[in-house]
Amino acid sequence: MRTSARPLALVSIPIFLGSCVLGPQPGSPDTKLPGSIRGDSAPHGKSFGDKSWHKVFTDPTLKNLIGRALANSPDLVAATYRIEQARAQANAARADWFPHIDGSGGATANYASPNAGQTAPGSDRYSDSYNLTALLSWEVDLWGGIRRSNEAARSRLLQAEYQRDAVQTGLIASVASAYIELQNLDERLNISRNTADSRRSSLELVTARRDGGVSSDLEFGQAEALLGQALTAIPIIEKAISAKENEIRSLLGEYPGGVARGGSLDKLDSSLRIAGGLPSTLMERRPDIAAANQSFQAATADIGVAEALRLPSLSLTGSGGVISNDLGNLLEGKSGAYSIGPDLTGPIFDAGRGKARADNARALAGEALAVYNRAAQQAFREAADAINAYVKTGEIIAEQTRLVNSNRMVSSVAKDRFQGGASSYLEVLDAERSLFDSELQLADNRRDRLLSVVEAYRALGGGWK
């Protein structure tokens, strides 16, 4: 009994000693947040970012495109594999808590030389040896290095998951933005074609008036140049449409090709009231901030790992198995043999390497904190900009709509005056150019309004849950 109790006593020593944890305790940064998001009309109400992306992007065609992107995007697949990598690393760190056991077996045939005096005269110079051995190594977490290593690995796993969420958020926003821009290009193309048709009719009128001796060659040239302006815009826009379609197909993880269109996107802009919500919930929703938080916590845990490496390490090592010269009795009880005991090792002189590793870990934690604070500041800026853009583009659209209506009236009057001979074609020229430019600008204003919805949703952390 005394012999068998001795190994148990040796095992209890490191378990008793392993109670100290070095380094700061990982936790979320203590960052002071502003009381509200600038421009938020309901800072304590339900946030626009709390909505599922399905409830924001309700257009069936757009929803289909987003679904295809989420299913096929190589960027999202790569981010998912990074999660698997982090999970494997976390499992490897967890394994450090447990003993490491290896096994070996061998058979040896020996022949002793008689001329070397290795055997007595008349003795058998042949001998055999057989063994089955298990080797044990179990590091005790004396200073909490293993615990901190596990905490760092778990934080990096969470960081990888949040980074995937950030990729998903960006992907949804990119597809929605690209589709809105594609719809805008379609609208600009229709405006250009309708303008070209109208100006072609004007050119025919001016041509007839010139042939009748009423209009001059100058007015004919002005009408022809006006038509050329609209005709030139058409292939330019068609080129942009093709490039935008290819961009969308790339976001979907597909090869270049056309993109189906749905109905109007006006519903995306109707009855929306963008609210930012509580600043604390913004910090929780945004996956990039959550990832930065976990990066900081992992870096903080790494300080404890580096500090533990500067101190002695205690391991329980041992071996045990069966050894015999006769294979037939290898598994008998008398063939058993073992050795076990603690192994204490530590640095005596490392020329400051351990301290340098710890200093580097602290510097990395400081950098991670700065990155987190920067991400938080950027989040509040993006949210404030998006809310402001949504409000102000609405005001711009209202004014721009009135401007378009005024230009249409001016263009109609100018054409009537020209046909009645009350004015030259120069008035028509100026009115037509102003109308064309204002119509295109109104289309762009509507696009910007819709893009501000997408940006507000992304900035407020929506779309990834």
Side-chain angles (χ1 to χ4, degrees):
M1 294 296 293
R2 184 171 56 191
T3 304
S4 61
R6 188 173 300 153
L8 295 176
L10 291 173
V11 171
S12 66
I13 294 174
I15 293 177
F16 173 76
L17 290 175
S19 59
C20 180
V21 182
L22 298 178
Q25 178 66 35
S28 298
D30 186 15
T31 300
K32 185 177 180 180
L33 302 178
S36 63
I37 302 172
R38 184 183 184 188
D40 188 7
S41 59
H44 300 292
K46 185 175 178 60
S47 173
F48 177 60
D50 290 332
K51 292 185 178 181
S52 166
W53 68 264
H54 299 84
K55 296 181 180 180
V56 175
F57 307 114
T58 57
D59 178 80
T61 303
L62 178 54
K63 289 177 67 174
N64 175 265
L65 293 175
I66 293 175
R68 285 159 61 184
L70 295 178
N72 303 318
S73 170
D75 292 337
L76 202 56
V77 172
T80 302
Y81 278 115
R82 285 193 288 271
I83 293 177
E84 295 305 314
Q85 296 168 26
R87 180 173 288 110
Q89 292 167 0
N91 290 336
R94 180 176 176 272
D96 291 338
W97 285 111
F98 302 97
H100 183 79
I101 302 175
D102 291 324
S104 66
T108 305
N110 301 300
Y111 173 78
S113 170
N115 293 335
Q118 295 175 344
T119 59
S123 63
D124 191 357
R125 294 193 296 272
Y126 297 92
S127 65
D128 298 326
S129 177
Y130 304 92
N131 72 86
L132 292 173
T133 307
L135 304 175
L136 167 71
S137 176
W138 186 13
E139 181 180 354
V140 179
D141 195 20
L142 270 182
W143 317 111
I146 294 177
R147 178 182 298 183
R148 291 295 190 233
S149 177
N150 273 263
E151 290 170 345
R154 286 195 298 269
S155 290
R156 290 193 170 94
L157 172 58
L158 291 174
Q159 178 186 358
E161 292 176 348
Y162 285 126
Q163 286 174 336
R164 181 196 179 277
D165 293 339
V167 170
Q168 180 167 316
T169 299
L171 182 62
I172 292 172
S174 295
V175 172
S177 296
Y179 185 67
I180 290 170
E181 290 167 352
L182 179 62
Q183 292 277 54
N184 167 254
L185 289 171
D186 288 343
E187 185 175 0
R188 290 176 66 92
L189 182 60
N190 288 333
I191 292 172
S192 298
R193 286 173 174 171
N194 292 336
T195 301
D197 291 341
S198 174
R199 292 179 179 181
R200 188 176 289 110
S201 298
S202 295
L203 177 61
E204 292 174 354
L205 173 62
V206 173
T207 302
R209 287 169 61 87
R210 183 198 62 176
D211 294 343
V214 178
S215 295
S216 65
D217 290 337
L218 174 61
E219 291 175 330
F220 172 80
Q222 290 172 333
E224 194 173 39
L226 203 60
L227 173 61
Q229 179 193 27
L231 292 176
T232 302
I234 292 174
I236 294 175
I237 297 173
E238 289 175 337
K239 173 186 173 184
I241 287 175
S242 179
K244 187 59 65 175
E245 288 178 328
N246 292 339
E247 177 187 337
I248 292 175
R249 292 293 290 267
S250 177
L251 290 170
L252 304 185
E254 299 172 0
Y255 291 102
V259 174
R261 313 293 203 274
S264 171
L265 285 176
D266 290 340
K267 289 183 180 180
L268 183 62
D269 190 31
S270 64
S271 302
L272 281 179
R273 182 169 175 269
I274 295 180
L278 294 173
S280 59
T281 58
L282 170 64
M283 303 293 282
E284 294 169 359
R285 281 193 311 265
R286 291 238 340 186
D288 56 335
I289 297 180
N293 183 351
Q294 294 302 323
S295 176
F296 169 73
Q297 295 194 40
T300 302
D302 284 338
I303 297 175
V305 176
E307 289 288 1
L309 291 174
R310 301 180 62 187
L311 300 174
S313 62
L314 179 64
S315 299
L316 180 66
T317 60
S319 63
V322 290
I323 304 174
S324 175
N325 292 330
D326 186 350
L327 182 61
N329 58 22
L330 177 64
L331 300 180
E332 294 181 359
K334 294 181 180 180
S335 299
Y338 74 84
S339 65
I340 188 171
D343 183 12
L344 185 66
T345 60
I348 297 176
F349 176 74
D350 65 356
R353 292 182 181 86
K355 182 179 182 301
R357 282 195 298 264
D359 291 342
N360 181 65
R362 291 189 183 89
L364 289 174
E367 178 187 4
L369 177 60
V371 170
Y372 173 85
N373 288 331
R374 180 58 179 166
Q377 294 168 2
Q378 183 71 15
F380 278 88
R381 174 189 171 185
E382 291 176 353
D385 286 348
I387 293 173
N388 180 65
Y390 177 76
V391 173
K392 293 304 177 183
T393 50
E395 297 174 3
I396 293 172
I397 288 173
E399 295 299 329
Q400 189 70 25
T401 300
R402 283 191 282 270
L403 177 61
V404 169
N405 292 333
S406 296
N407 284 334
R408 284 175 181 164
M409 183 270 295
V410 171
S411 176
S412 176
V413 171
K415 288 179 181 179
D416 291 341
R417 283 171 56 82
F418 172 71
Q419 291 179 2
S423 65
S424 68
Y425 195 74
L426 183 60
E427 289 185 1
V428 177
L429 180 68
D430 290 339
E432 281 287 304
R433 285 177 175 172
S434 296
L435 176 60
F436 185 45
D437 290 343
S438 63
E439 287 179 331
L440 293 177
Q441 187 60 55
L442 178 58
D444 290 348
N445 293 148
R446 286 198 291 262
R447 173 204 62 195
D448 293 343
R449 172 80 162 183
L450 296 176
L451 290 178
S452 70
V453 174
V454 177
E455 178 56 25
Y457 197 59
R458 188 198 65 79
L460 293 171
W464 59 272
K465 290 185 179 179

